[in-house]
Each structure stands twice: as structure tokens, then as C-alpha cells.
């Protein structure tokens, strides 16, 4: 906690536009997720807390063997998601993937729930990775692989400036609702609590228990569809104006102490 840190404040000036799908499944999953052949998914996940003492395969899935494509310059490997000492870690490095990491030069980790969740409070205690070109994330997402349009709510720490957090949301694939929050601490130097409170009619973001941002739909319709809870660590390509250039200098890791969802 940093209650004596500089006050948090925000700016609604959006960063440079970013092309392509933000957080959808990789091409192989998209092929299976044709919205024309799948009924819309239902929210079935109830409240839970996961302290990440071990991998719970009934709740979580480790992405493996594909890439989100576009600006994501890494392929996902299940062995880049690990649990140790009550912590979940996501590693990013240049370990080759089977099949060549979907023609990406780096490998990294992505973790997502098996079930979808609706209105409620989504919380995480995490420590971000630092470095230009990197994104450490905690977010909700659904899309064609769930038989639904693309909806998403984001907490993102950009490695080029880990003293800031970026929020955003997507509805029917439309984003552009970024806000940049000055945290008053270095998110890569220690663990802090980040929360999304999603209700019918508004979304609020919290840092260490303090509300730092709210969206009420005045900048565009809010998401309404149930979504998966996700975390990933990835290097960008072709988005230097947003993330800064990525130059590999060795393994990077983002770590997560716990995740909690409270159903509303």
C-alpha cells in the first residue's frame, strides 16, 4: 500500500491508436469460435478467490500454441505460466515455441478463466514487468470464440512507464475509451491492488482501494456481455507510438498474488 504516495489522477487524452484485435484468441481459436455457429455464451461463474497456490484447471486455462496476432509479438506457451510460493507468474522470453510461436520471435504466458462472468467486482494483486514495448494486464474479455461480439474491460500497465495505469473498454469491438492514471508509485517495484467494478450503467476502476476512474457510457456504450477473466504479458510490434519500441534484453516476468471476483 502507498497511502502516503502522491495523489492518483487521470487524463482522458488517448494514446496512439492501436490496430487489430486487442485480446482475442489466436487464429486457431477464432476458427473454432465463429459466432454464426455458436450460441452466445452465458455467465455461469460465481464469486471466488484464488490465491494461486497451484494451478486450478477447473477454473483456469493456460494459453498454448498460438498467438493473438497483429500487434502481439509473442506466441503463448503453457510452460510460461507458473505457480510458486503462492504467486502466479507469466514469463516472456525468446524460447522457441513448437511450430515457431505462430511465426512470432518471442514466447510468453496468458491465463484465462474457463467460465464467463458478468456484473461484479474484479480484483487482482499484481506486480508488472518494466521495459519499453511491454504490456502487463488484468482484464475481462469475450469475443467470437464465445459466440459473442468483442467486449472487454482493461487494466494495463505499459512497461515504458510503470508509474501509470491505462484503462479502456470495448463494446461490440469498439474501443478508444482510454484513460491514463498517474499512480504515484512504480507498479513494477512491488505488489498493488487493482480492481474493476462493473455494473449495469457504469464501470469504476480502483487502485489500492481508491477509486481512480469511472465510465458511465457518455463516451460510448458500455459492455454488457459476460466475459472471461484474463491476464497476459506481451511485447508489441508496430505500435511504438503507443507502447514504445521493444528490444529484448532478457526474460521479463509479471507476477500475480491473487485474483478475486465478487458477483453482483
Amino acid at each position: 500500500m502507498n497511502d502516503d504516495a502522491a495523489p492518483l489522477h487521470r487524463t482522458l487524452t488517448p494514446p496512439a491508436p492501436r490496430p487489430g484485435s486487442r485480446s482475442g484468441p489466436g487464429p486457431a481459436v477464432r476458427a473454432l469460435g465463429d459466432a454464426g455457429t455458436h450460441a452466445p455464451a452465458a455467465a455461469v461463474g460465481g464469486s471466488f478467490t484464488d490465491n494461486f497456490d497451484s494451478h486450478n484447471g477447473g477454473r483456469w486455462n493456460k494459453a498454448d500454441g498460438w498467438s493473438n496476432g497483429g500487434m502481439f509479438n509473442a506466441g503463448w506457451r503453457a510452460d510460461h505460466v507458473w505457480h510458486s510460493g503462492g504467486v502466479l507468474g507469466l514469463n516472456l522470453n525468446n524460447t522457441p515455441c513448437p511450430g515457431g510461436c505462430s511465426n512470432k520471435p518471442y514466447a510468453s504466458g496468458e491465463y484465462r478463466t474457463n467460465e464467463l462472468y458478468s456484473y461484479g467486482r474484479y480484483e487482482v494483486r499484481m506486480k508488472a514487468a518494466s521495459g519499453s514495448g511491454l504490456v502487463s494486464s488484468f482484464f475481462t474479455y469475450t469475443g467470437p470464440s464465445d459466440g459473442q461480439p468483442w467486449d472487454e474491460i482493461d487494466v494495463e500497465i505499459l512497461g515504458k512507464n510503470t508509474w501509470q495505469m491505462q484503462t479502456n473498454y470495448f463494446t461490440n469491438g469498439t474501443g478508444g475509451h482510454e484513460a491514463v492514471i498517474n499512480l504515484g508509485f512504480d507498479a513494477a517495484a512491488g505488489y498493488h491492488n487493482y480492481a474493476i467494478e462493473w455494473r449495469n450503467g457504469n464501470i469504476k476502476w480502483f487502485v489500492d482501494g481508491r477509486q481512480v476512474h469511472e465510465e458511465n457510457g457518455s463516451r460510448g456504450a458500455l459492455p454488457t456481455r459476460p466475459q472471461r477473466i484474463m491476464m497476459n504479458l506481451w511485447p508489441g510490434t508496430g505500435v511504438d507510438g503507443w507502447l514504445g519500441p521493444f528490444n529484448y534484453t532478457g526474460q521479463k516476468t509479471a507476477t500475480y498474488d491473487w485474483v478475486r471476483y465478487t458477483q453482483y
Side-chain angles (χ1 to χ4, degrees):
M1 299 291 182
N2 274 275
D3 291 338
D4 58 348
L8 289 78
H9 61 281
R10 62 187 173 90
T11 173
L12 297 184
T13 303
R18 38 195 218 203
S21 172
R22 159 64 183 84
S23 307
V29 178
R30 286 197 192 100
L32 296 173
D34 183 352
T37 60
H38 288 254
V44 295
S47 300
F48 73 86
T49 299
D50 198 320
N51 292 317
F52 293 140
D53 294 322
S54 61
H55 172 59
N56 180 348
R59 177 175 291 143
W60 300 97
N61 176 261
K62 302 177 182 182
D64 192 44
W66 48 273
S67 169
N68 288 11
M71 61 185 157
F72 292 77
N73 206 24
W76 306 126
R77 281 187 57 148
D79 62 5
H80 281 46
V81 178
W82 53 267
H83 292 76
S84 179
V87 168
L88 164 74
L90 305 178
N91 289 344
L92 165 66
N93 58 34
N94 60 355
T95 302
C97 296
C101 285
S102 301
N103 296 316
K104 301 293 184 177
Y106 306 107
S108 194
E110 179 176 84
Y111 210 46
R112 63 172 63 195
T113 55
N114 296 323
E115 296 181 342
L116 289 83
Y117 301 82
S118 191
Y119 298 129
R121 186 176 175 94
Y122 299 77
E123 301 174 81
V124 67
R125 184 167 177 82
M126 64 177 283
K127 180 168 67 173
S130 65
S132 177
L134 291 176
V135 178
S136 305
S137 70
F138 174 71
F139 61 104
T140 62
Y141 169 82
T142 191
S145 59
D146 297 320
Q148 303 189 120
W150 173 14
D151 278 7
E152 180 173 342
I153 307 172
D154 294 321
V155 167
E156 296 174 315
I157 307 295
L158 309 189
K160 69 178 184 180
N161 184 352
T162 52
W163 289 75
Q164 295 181 333
M165 174 182 79
Q166 180 175 293
T167 68
N168 197 6
Y169 70 90
F170 291 75
T171 305
N172 290 324
T174 298
H177 309 108
E178 292 92 345
V180 176
I181 313 298
N182 291 316
L183 295 170
F185 59 79
D186 182 356
Y191 286 95
H192 291 271
N193 299 350
Y194 306 87
I196 298 165
E197 191 173 80
W198 177 30
R199 297 178 183 269
N200 184 12
N202 64 69
I203 306 169
K204 298 177 182 179
W205 286 260
F206 298 80
V207 177
D208 288 339
R210 292 176 284 177
Q211 183 180 327
V212 297
H213 185 55
E214 180 175 359
E215 294 283 354
N216 60 13
S218 62
R219 296 205 291 158
L222 300 176
T224 59
R225 300 173 182 88
Q227 303 176 53
R228 300 183 192 276
I229 303 170
M230 297 182 61
M231 292 154 278
N232 58 27
L233 170 65
W234 52 279
T237 182
V239 285
D240 290 3
W242 173 39
L243 301 182
F246 177 73
N247 295 299
Y248 184 73
T249 58
Q251 179 169 286
K252 297 289 186 178
T253 302
T255 50
Y256 300 78
D257 188 21
W258 50 258
V259 163
R260 177 183 300 127
Y261 167 70
T262 305
Q263 186 176 28
Y264 289 171

